[in-house]
Amino acid sequence: MSNAPAVRPPLYYRLTTAILAPIYRQMVIKKSKHKPTLERELNERFAKQYQPLPSGALSVIWCHAVSLGELNTAYPLLSRLLDQGYGLWVTSTTQTGFERAARLFDGQIRSGRVAHSFVPVDRPQVIDAFLDHVKPIAVMFIETELWANTLYACRKRGIKTMMVNARLTQKSYQGYAKIAKVSQTMMANLDGIIAQDAESVQRFKQLGKTDIVQSDSLKWASVSALSEAQLTAAQALKAQIREAHKKQVWVMASTHDGEESIALSAHKKFLQKSPDALLILVPRHPERFEAVHQMCLQGGFVTARRSVDESITPKTQIYLADTMGELLAWYQVAQIAVVGGSFVPIGGHNPIEPASLATPVIMGAHDDNCKDLVKALKKVGALAQLPDEPNVADQLFEGLMQGYLYHWTAEQGALLVKQKQRVLEDQLNFVLSIIHA
């Protein structure tokens, strides 16, 4: 933490962001598949118009979470800050994150405790306009994303800035190292970092930040009891599964392009051994729902879709969970959970959610986003990890067969998740210490 003067980003960075801003605006327009929100997205990214400020709060904290995963991870911490009387302004980079914020904080948005928007582009005029509107006392960047002009503007105004649950992979470090002067200004303008693993601590130090706190990942605390809606969905699906006499049910969750084909190949073999098996397939991104449905049909699988409320029958082989916000329900229904983003180079999604429900977990080799979590769950026998090989679908089939044959349980995983809940207090205390310094 420092009261040192603000360190301005290098001229080449300021010029580059100025040149790229209009190009980025055109990219947003071209890529947007959500036309109803396009006008709002452009207004918020370029500080033309914002929602009203949170009301009835002591002060406002700006939290930036790039997308859905970071926001889910930060949610317990943000809830505790709301309990402390702070208002929140939540920004997201992606459409998925923006939509998730709207669902997570629906009640608080309607009551005026929380506001959310797309993140402003890292241009001085835009950032100044955004900060003039929001007037935050502090900024929390969740996990990785930092912006040099933003940090400089915050330091100039005396707004505390921190990285929470920070993680810096080797790939991200190499990217920051290539723009060393920019990275040095960002490290100088940050008031604090609480990192989730020793490797990240060392990489931040190599970028120039020495006073770093280390803690377990907030992902250990990112689970919660099933909501009433999730519980209802789980109970309804369990009833359908019983009536359809489906004895072996597994879920492949948060899948990316390339992972559904692995799941379908493994499931095809599984059905040959166990015709009553059921795969619950959960693509990560809504824009891929239809393509994944077509893939299932082209593969010859009898498929029921959650989005149109199709029921599971004895003939159903795949249940396509093409909705958002119900993943915990599917984790509870399944006997084995395969967590996606780990069979392609995405970095792996959160294995804590199924582990917290005592559902055994299988993951692929790509675990850059959650190495420590995977290691800890493997140690207590709650998670199996498959190698990155061309025949990984065969390996997945073998893993599933062994799991059902030996009645694999993950009770120790659920116990470990419970023991790790103290991380929430550690990171909350860190945030409050920065704010009150």
Side-chain angles (χ1 to χ4, degrees):
M1 207 180 312
S2 172
N3 292 317
V7 180
R8 195 175 191 184
L11 178 60
Y12 78 82
Y13 178 85
R14 288 179 275 134
L15 290 174
T16 300
T17 54
I19 293 168
L20 292 180
I23 299 173
Y24 180 71
R25 189 179 191 280
Q26 292 305 312
M27 287 173 57
V28 170
I29 295 171
K30 185 176 180 180
K31 288 184 177 181
S32 178
K33 297 177 182 177
H34 302 267
K35 297 302 181 185
T37 63
L38 178 57
E39 184 178 359
R40 177 173 174 178
E41 180 174 357
L42 292 172
N43 284 339
E44 291 175 348
R45 289 197 188 277
F46 295 91
K48 300 297 183 185
Q49 185 178 355
Y50 286 109
Q51 302 296 303
L53 278 172
S55 57
L58 294 172
S59 0
V60 175
I61 297 172
W62 169 20
C63 171
H64 177 57
V66 176
S67 192
L68 179 146
E70 292 84 357
L71 191 55
N72 286 343
T73 297
Y75 180 71
L77 177 60
L78 300 183
S79 296
R80 291 294 300 276
L81 290 169
L82 285 170
D83 291 342
Q84 299 254 343
Y86 293 100
L88 294 177
W89 191 290
V90 180
T91 59
S92 304
T93 303
T94 68
Q95 180 76 35
T96 307
F98 177 83
E99 292 171 353
R100 182 60 174 159
R103 285 190 300 274
L104 274 178
F105 297 105
D106 178 53
Q108 294 97 328
I109 290 171
R110 283 188 280 111
S111 67
R113 293 293 311 284
V114 175
H116 76 122
S117 69
F118 289 95
V119 69
V121 298
D122 195 41
R123 290 280 296 120
Q125 300 93 325
V126 173
I127 295 301
D128 283 340
F130 175 78
L131 294 176
D132 286 343
H133 178 75
V134 178
K135 300 178 177 63
I137 60 163
V139 187
M140 294 165 44
F141 298 95
I142 308 300
E143 293 198 4
T144 51
E145 191 166 272
L146 289 174
W147 297 101
N149 289 328
T150 298
L151 288 168
Y152 175 64
C154 289
R155 174 58 67 89
K156 282 196 304 179
R157 292 169 180 247
I159 300 168
K160 301 296 177 61
T161 58
M162 65 201 94
M163 290 190 77
V164 174
N165 205 50
R167 179 177 57 86
L168 193 62
T169 64
Q170 181 62 25
K171 182 179 179 181
S172 295
Y173 165 74
Q174 289 170 347
Y176 282 121
K178 287 177 182 176
I179 50 170
K181 289 186 178 180
V182 177
S183 298
Q184 287 164 9
T185 70
M186 292 195 292
M187 295 300 105
N189 288 329
L190 266 171
D191 288 294
I193 298 176
I194 183 165
Q196 58 179 272
D197 55 69
E199 291 83 1
S200 291
V201 170
Q202 290 306 311
R203 290 168 187 147
F204 280 120
K205 285 183 176 179
Q206 289 169 355
L207 290 178
K209 191 71 175 175
T210 56
D211 51 337
I212 305 167
V213 176
Q214 186 179 341
S215 171
D216 283 326
S217 171
L218 260 182
K219 286 183 178 178
W220 288 108
S222 65
V223 296
S224 58
L226 272 72
S227 66
E228 188 174 337
Q230 289 169 335
L231 194 57
T232 300
Q235 290 171 340
L237 195 64
K238 281 181 180 179
Q240 290 183 33
I241 287 168
R242 281 195 303 270
E243 290 176 14
H245 304 291
K246 298 294 180 182
K247 307 249 189 244
Q248 296 169 323
V249 182
W250 65 289
V251 59
M252 182 113 170
S254 298
T255 56
H256 292 256
D257 188 19
E259 292 186 311
E260 291 89 8
S261 59
I262 293 171
L264 297 182
S265 178
H267 193 53
K268 194 166 199 174
K269 290 194 170 189
F270 200 6
L271 286 168
Q272 292 170 1
K273 295 285 186 181
S274 303
D276 61 355
L278 178 72
L279 163 61
I280 302 173
L281 187 57
V282 193
R284 178 76 171 180
H285 297 114
E287 59 268 25
R288 298 189 61 246
F289 286 164
E290 182 56 38
V292 174
H293 181 232
Q294 292 303 317
M295 194 182 303
C296 294
L297 297 180
Q298 289 165 10
F301 295 96
V302 180
T303 305
R305 294 186 76 170
R306 168 66 175 167
S307 62
V308 291
D309 204 25
E310 292 177 341
S311 297
I312 294 170
T313 71
K315 293 183 178 181
T316 305
Q317 297 168 321
I318 294 177
Y319 187 70
L320 180 59
D322 51 350
T323 55
M324 300 294 287
E326 296 186 304
L327 184 54
L328 278 181
W330 315 143
Y331 278 147
Q332 190 187 61
V333 168
Q335 294 142 348
I336 296 176
V338 183
V339 178
S342 61
F343 294 86
V344 291
I346 299 295
H349 293 300
N350 189 357
I352 302 304
E353 291 175 323
S356 71
L357 298 169
T359 304
V361 180
I362 296 175
M363 291 187 72
H366 300 281
D367 63 357
D368 285 350
N369 294 343
C370 49
K371 276 188 184 297
D372 284 1
L373 310 183
V374 169
K375 184 178 179 181
L377 289 170
K378 283 169 68 175
K379 190 173 181 180
V380 298
L383 185 148
Q385 191 170 26
L386 304 180
D388 184 19
E389 295 180 359
N391 65 338
V392 69
D394 294 339
Q395 304 249 2
L396 177 55
F397 161 68
E398 293 293 341
L400 291 167
M401 287 298 296
Q402 290 180 23
Y404 285 107
L405 182 63
Y406 297 110
H407 303 288
W408 180 22
T409 65
E411 292 175 1
Q412 290 302 310
L415 181 61
L416 178 64
V417 173
K418 188 174 181 181
Q419 292 169 347
K420 292 281 192 178
Q421 297 300 297
R422 67 181 185 275
V423 65
L424 181 55
E425 292 300 321
D426 293 343
Q427 298 223 21
L428 175 65
N429 290 335
F430 168 81
V431 171
L432 294 176
S433 71
I434 297 288
I435 291 173
H436 296 147

